[in-house]
Amino acid sequence: MQKVNISEHVYWVGVNDRRTTLFENMWPLCKGVCYNSYIINDEKVALVDTVEVSATDEYLEKLESIIGPERQVDYLIINHMEPDHSGAVKFIRQKYPDCKIVGNKKTFEMLEKFYGINTNLHEVKDMDEIDLGGRKLRFYMTPMLHWPETMMTYDLKDKVLFSGDAFGSFGTLDGGVFDDELNLDFYEDEIRRYYSNIVGKFAKFVQKALKKLADVDINYICATHGPIWRSHIDKILSDYDRWSRYQTEEGVVIVYGTMYGNTEQMADVIARELVVHGIKNVRIYDCAKTHASYIISEIYKYKGVILGSCAYNNDMFPSMDALIRKIENSEIKEHLLGVFGSFAWGGGGVKRLNEFAKNIDWEVVSDSVEQKGGMHDISFDRCISLAQNMAHRLKQLREEEVPA
Ligand code: FEO
C-alpha cells in the first residue's frame, strides 16, 4: 500500500472494514467503517491507538512498512480502550515488547481487565506532555467521549489533534483519506449517524471538550474513524457544537409502526398536511424496516418528531418500543412531539406512546390521535389538526429566530 503522510513524520496507518455488518453488533454498516491508527516516526516512534483485532496482520505490515523492520515502537498511546481500537494492543506488545503504553488511570484499569496488561505503563493526566525528541505530545482528558477513559493527544509540532472517536464517521476510506480528497457528501449522513448514536448521549461532555480545545491551534483532526480533517476543521467543530446543543433544522420526522397499513395511512395524512402548511422537510420511516440508528440521526437533524404505533397484544408495536427506548437512552433534548396510532381490539400503542411523551422532556404540540380500525372522518380530522399544530409551532420558532 502507498504510505499516507499527514506531515513529514506523521502517517495514517488505518484499515478499512467492509466485512462487518453491525458495528458494536448493533449499528448497520451500510458503507463499512474504518479503524484509524496513526504513527509518528520521528526521533522516537509513537503509535496512536491501534485497530480492530481482525485487521491485525494488515496493520502490523503497514506499521513495518513505515518504520522498517529494525525500529521499535517506543510509545503506544491509547486514547480509547474500546476494542475496535485496542484490539491489536497485545500484538503490538508482543512485537515491540519494550514499547511503553501511555494512558490514564482508567485506561490502565481497562487494559488490565481486557488484556491482562499491567506493565511498562506511563500514566498521564490532563495537560501532561511527553517528549519524543524535538516533538512534544500533550494529552487532553476528554472523559465520556464516549467512554470514561477517553482522551485526546495533541502533537505540538505539526498541530495534529488525535481525537479518538470524536469527529469520526461510519464509512470506509475508499482511496481518499483527507477531507479535501473526497466528496464529503458521501459521509455527511454517516458523520451525523455516528455522532448521534455513539457520542450524542454525552452532549454535555462534548461541550466541555469543545471548550477545552477552543484555544488549541489545530491543523489536522485525526479521528479513529472516517476522514482526516484538515480543510474543513471549522465545519466538523461547528457540527459538533450544534448537535451537542440540540440545534436542529425546520422539519418533521414521522415514524410509524404498522401491521396492516392503518397507522401508515395516518402518517401519510399528517405528512401531507405538514407540507400543505409550508414544512418542506418531512421524512416518513417505517420503524420495522429502517434501523433505529438512521431514525435517531434524522431526529438530530429535524426539530419535529411524530410517532405512531399500532397496537400489538395490548401493547406498542415492538419495533416502535425499541425505538423509543433508544431515544430515551440517547437523552435527546429540545424537540417537538406528536403521537398517533390505531388499534383493532385492545389498544396499547398510543397509550405507551403517551407515557413516553409524559416522561421525555419534549414539547407535546397536540393531543394524541388514536383510531379504531381504518381511517374515518374523526381520525382524519384529528390527524389534520395534529399536523397543523406541529406546523404552527415550527413556524412560530422560525419567526422567533428571525432578527427583529
Ligand atoms: Fe470507535 Fe468507541 O470506539
Side-chain angles (χ1 to χ4, degrees):
M1 287 295 296
Q2 300 94 325
K3 294 175 186 173
V4 179
N5 280 79
I6 295 162
S7 61
E8 187 184 355
H9 295 289
V10 183
Y11 298 81
W12 172 80
V13 282
V15 295
N16 283 310
D17 181 352
R18 300 186 178 91
R19 291 190 178 190
T20 302
T21 52
L22 293 174
F23 184 75
E24 294 180 341
N25 213 17
M26 279 185 279
W27 318 110
L29 292 173
C30 53
K31 294 179 177 175
V33 69
C34 61
Y35 313 112
N36 294 335
S37 170
Y38 303 93
I39 190 149
I40 302 162
N41 187 27
D42 211 337
E43 276 185 43
K44 300 260 185 195
V45 175
L47 188 57
V48 184
D49 290 312
T50 71
V51 297
E52 206 268 342
V53 67
S54 62
T56 301
D57 285 348
E58 178 189 348
Y59 177 59
L60 292 177
E61 280 172 25
K62 269 193 181 181
L63 278 185
E64 198 171 301
S65 76
I66 289 168
I67 67 173
E70 305 300 331
R71 286 203 90 180
Q72 294 295 301
V73 173
D74 298 295
Y75 293 102
L76 166 58
I77 295 154
I78 301 180
N79 281 333
H80 183 23
M81 269 299 296
E82 194 165 3
D84 52 333
H85 311 297
S86 68
V89 165
K90 60 187 174 194
F91 298 99
I92 294 293
R93 214 354 128 61
Q94 277 168 15
K95 187 164 180 181
Y96 305 104
D98 295 331
C99 92
K100 202 172 270 297
I101 298 181
V102 180
N104 56 59
K105 190 166 181 285
K106 288 192 166 66
T107 315
F108 294 149
E109 287 167 11
M110 292 182 184
L111 191 65
E112 177 157 34
K113 297 290 182 204
F114 278 25
Y115 306 112
I117 296 173
N118 55 15
T119 57
N120 205 6
L121 310 177
H122 180 82
E123 185 179 318
V124 291
K125 297 188 173 63
D126 195 36
M127 303 300 282
D128 279 357
E129 294 180 0
I130 60 172
D131 195 336
L132 301 182
R135 180 187 299 267
K136 284 186 176 171
L137 301 180
R138 181 183 297 153
F139 304 97
Y140 291 91
M141 298 302 122
T142 51
M144 300 318 300
L145 290 186
H146 61 118
W147 276 22
E149 87 298 0
T150 43
M151 63 182 205
M152 297 186 188
T153 300
Y154 177 65
D155 173 346
L156 280 80
K157 186 171 180 187
D158 291 330
K159 301 183 168 74
V160 185
L161 180 70
F162 302 99
S163 63
D165 282 344
F167 316 117
S169 174
F170 293 125
T172 50
L173 295 173
D174 299 342
V177 174
F178 297 91
D179 58 358
D180 49 22
E181 292 182 325
L182 42 82
N183 189 343
L184 274 178
D185 293 350
F186 176 80
Y187 294 95
E188 186 172 342
D189 287 344
E190 289 296 79
I191 294 167
R192 196 182 60 254
R193 189 166 71 98
Y194 187 86
Y195 173 82
S196 55
N197 289 278
I198 308 295
V199 182
K201 177 182 173 78
F202 307 103
K204 69 178 181 195
F205 293 94
V206 174
Q207 281 292 318
K208 275 188 187 172
L210 290 174
K211 285 189 178 72
K212 190 175 270 194
L213 297 171
D215 296 327
V216 181
D217 190 9
I218 300 171
N219 286 342
Y220 306 89
I221 294 180
C222 295
T224 44
H225 303 283
I228 294 171
W229 300 97
R230 68 179 176 190
S231 293
H232 302 281
I233 289 173
D234 287 348
K235 176 200 157 28
I236 190 66
L237 290 174
S238 104
D239 281 349
Y240 263 57
D241 185 40
R242 204 160 31 81
W243 293 331
S244 57
R245 293 173 189 272
Y246 301 100
Q247 290 177 352
T248 43
E249 298 173 29
E250 183 180 281
V252 180
V253 185
I254 303 172
V255 192
Y256 66 83
T258 195
M259 293 168 74
Y260 294 104
N262 290 321
T263 306
E264 180 181 13
Q265 192 178 19
M266 298 171 82
D268 279 323
V269 169
I270 292 165
R272 179 64 195 153
E273 194 65 13
L274 284 167
V275 173
V276 165
H277 284 269
I279 306 303
K280 292 189 173 171
N281 294 308
V282 178
R283 304 279 181 270
I284 301 184
Y285 292 99
D286 178 342
C287 63
K289 188 175 160 194
T290 303
H291 190 272
S293 63
Y294 296 92
I295 297 170
I296 295 283
S297 179
E298 289 287 78
I299 291 174
Y300 266 82
K301 188 168 183 182
Y302 297 118
K303 184 78 173 174
V305 179
I306 302 182
L307 302 175
S309 177
C310 64
Y312 177 74
N313 288 351
N314 293 322
D315 207 334
M316 191 188 300
F317 190 64
S319 307
M320 180 58 72
D321 195 44
L323 175 66
I324 64 168
R325 284 173 191 276
K326 173 60 184 157
I327 293 172
E328 286 169 339
N329 178 271
S330 300
E331 299 179 29
I332 306 170
K333 296 179 174 56
E334 310 268 342
H335 279 73
L336 306 177
L337 178 64
V339 163
F340 67 100
S342 69
F343 67 104
W345 42 273
V350 172
K351 178 169 172 269
R352 280 278 293 115
L353 281 175
N354 276 326
E355 287 168 9
F356 163 78
K358 202 176 287 178
N359 293 334
I360 196 163
D361 189 20
W362 293 3
E363 179 186 332
V364 178
V365 298
S366 189
D367 291 339
S368 60
V369 184
E370 186 170 35
Q371 74 178 13
K372 187 168 186 175
M375 181 71 70
H376 44 78
D377 286 350
I378 295 174
S379 58
F380 178 85
D381 289 345
R382 295 187 66 200
C383 284
I384 296 288
S385 172
L386 190 162
Q388 288 177 351
N389 286 341
M390 176 64 82
H392 176 69
R393 274 300 286 136
L394 287 169
K395 279 194 262 185
Q396 274 184 335
L397 292 173
R398 186 201 304 164
E399 280 156 17
E400 284 170 16
E401 276 173 17
V402 175

